[in-house]
Amino acid sequence: MRATLMYGAGDVRIENVPDPSLKHPTDALVRITASCVCGSDLHPYSSMKPEDGPARMGHEFIGIVEETGSEVTTLRRGDLVVAPFAISDNTCLFCREGLHTSCAHPQANFWDGEAEEGGQAEAVRVPLADGTLVKLPVAPDSTLIPSLLTLSDVLGTGHHAAVMGGVNARTSVTVIGDGAVGLMAVLAAKRLGAEQIVLMGRHTSRTDLGRSFGATDVIATRGEEGIEAVRALTNGHGTHVTLEAVGHMPAYQQAIGVTRPGGIISRVGVPQYEEAPIGFSSLFRHNIRLAGGPAPVRAYIEELMPDILDGTLTPGRVFDATTDLDGVPAAYQSMADRETLKALVTP
């Protein structure tokens, strides 16, 4: 079969690789019908060293079950399924607490940690299939597929940011980042009742989409100027909750600046740093709390899916380009150049 491999920064290739096969009785083989390129894929695309490659790419996909291991009980051949970006058994202590990204099963993992598998491909072996995969009640050619694909990562990640930040009707919210996750954070904050949602982003086509998702204000400036603009909208105080969907240090520093005393910074942008200000002048002085982390999207699928099926939510609008596998390398470059928001891949 064909699959996407990253050999280093800026070097993405489509190559023939061995077909996947069952390794464990809890595995399933899935023929991928829809996948996509994630904003987090752009981090290695800009920085991966050649000695760290090649790496199989893709952690968001929908597909059809082609074969199941002898211990798989909830799936059968022909089922259309969506896969979260983390593999989990959905039964361990942490999964039962809704923290599937910390699943205790030895086979639990992130797709990016599965050396021989990836979602930007024609097929994939899914470990812990009963726990990981969720059946979809639509046909593979449904017009809802783009929106249902967001359950694999970006919608659940934006929702996680809002949940961890405690967003509700009484909270004002700033979202930092106008990528797909930032826009999903806007959508999630609106869904949870926030009446003031400030979106910080510089790309008009994206921030316009953010307004349609529920953003009440857009701030295009960054740094101190951006911080002052948010404070001007909030009586000088800042917002109760800041959802940081970028992952770079300037975004974190901006989050500190726009969060009001007693507020919460919820980070879901994958941090590209290990050290960050948390001391007296940054967080401690004003009782600002830090939350967030990798989203356990498996915990949110059953909650969010009905809103997609009935048309309440249309998160698939974040996909503004579609390509086959041959076009994936160009899709990476287009997203890195901020010409494309999020590319849908139809193998």
Side-chain angles (χ1 to χ4, degrees), residues 31-112:
R31 175 169 54 86
I32 296 172
T33 58
S35 63
C36 53
V37 181
C38 183
S40 64
D41 294 333
L42 300 182
H43 292 312
Y45 188 70
S46 68
S47 63
M48 177 186 279
K49 298 177 181 178
E51 56 265 32
D52 294 331
R56 291 282 294 274
M57 299 302 296
H59 54 259
E60 306 155 277
F61 62 89
I62 285 173
I64 298 171
V65 175
E66 295 289 345
E67 188 177 350
T68 58
S70 60
E71 294 182 13
V72 175
T73 61
T74 64
L75 302 167
R76 63 181 182 178
R77 180 181 174 90
D79 285 341
L80 185 71
V81 292
V82 62
F85 69 81
I87 298 161
S88 63
D89 65 11
N90 201 32
T91 61
C92 81
L93 170 67
F94 294 107
C95 288
R96 292 197 304 271
E97 293 177 353
L99 197 60
H100 295 70
T101 46
S102 295
C103 178
H105 195 285
Q107 293 178 41
N109 204 350
F110 294 102
W111 283 110
D112 294 343

